[in-house]
Amino acid sequence: MSDNTKTKNDNVLLEFIDVKKYFPIRQGVFAKTKGYIKAVDGISYDIRKGETFGLVGESGCGKSTTSKLVLLIEPITSGKILFDGKDISNLSQSERQAYRESVQPVFQDPTGSLDPRCRVSTIIAEPLQVRKNMTKEQIHARVLEVLEMAGLRSDHAELFPHQFSGGQRQRIAMARALSTEPKLIILDEPISSLDVSIRANMMNQLLDLQAKLGISYMLIAHDLAVILHMSTRVAVMYVGKIVETGDSKELYEHTAHPYTKALFAAAFHSANEGALILPGEVASPYNPPSGCHFHPRCPNAMPKCKEIEPLLKEISPGHKAACHLFK
Ligand code: SF4
């Protein structure tokens, strides 16, 4: 690892440095580029070892594209993502394989990610098959170990995904993610498809596993209550940008950005209780409003909000907001 890519803080596991992901929009017979969808537009943050970092925002804000960049499903357009100090866009083949083992996903809909023709043991063992130093017996033992960690039984190994409930299928996905002893798990809406009655149980089990194994989570959710329950720190995204970030407790007690305030109001109060209901839809990342992208929906908008884009600035230690209300 070269010194120029090593992070300064040893406690940092993943670092985003001014990361952008633009998708070109092509038109005509020659597929000429007529513009870009700026799905992720210059975000910087870090995820520390053993913490849960929550990314929250409405659909289309860029949070799922962010997870695809970390999972190497999409290449970044510019900026850098460092993992353990190493730039993930310049990995050799062997480093890429090691990285994939260190960073595992758990997606919203476990049904789509579990092959219905395979037994659970095969599904969980799949990420381990590339390991040349593991025997069949060792792989099977690891399958049983992670099944138990995820709250399932050893006899579940020989069943098929359709023989489980939604909550159990999400546990299978979790067991598969744990199989390679990852340092980071991307939890993309991990409980939103589950029955309300089992959501709290699943959240607490994820937190127990984290305390036991010291893994980091990048938690993506549109539900602020879930984010606050599980996360150490939070970033709020709007049209590809981070508009507010800080410790979850600080964000809850001293919410600064009007958009975050609206998300909190929607999550914790009904309209009858005076919750702020935002007018309009989330702006398009293809042609976002000028200045502050949030200005057409913001109850505090001022003339300069249409003209000047607010930068993300520290408003108290560790708490940043991108809004002209703060000097
Ligand atoms: Fe609202 Fe202006 Fe702040 Fe944007 S910069 S959130 S429009 S007050």
Side-chain angles (χ1 to χ4, degrees), residues 257-259 292-295 298-302 305 310 322-325:
H257 197 282
Y259 178 60
C292 172
H293 295 342
F294 186 57
H295 83 255
C298 180
N300 306 92
M302 305 167 271
C305 301
C323 174
H324 293 310
L325 292 171

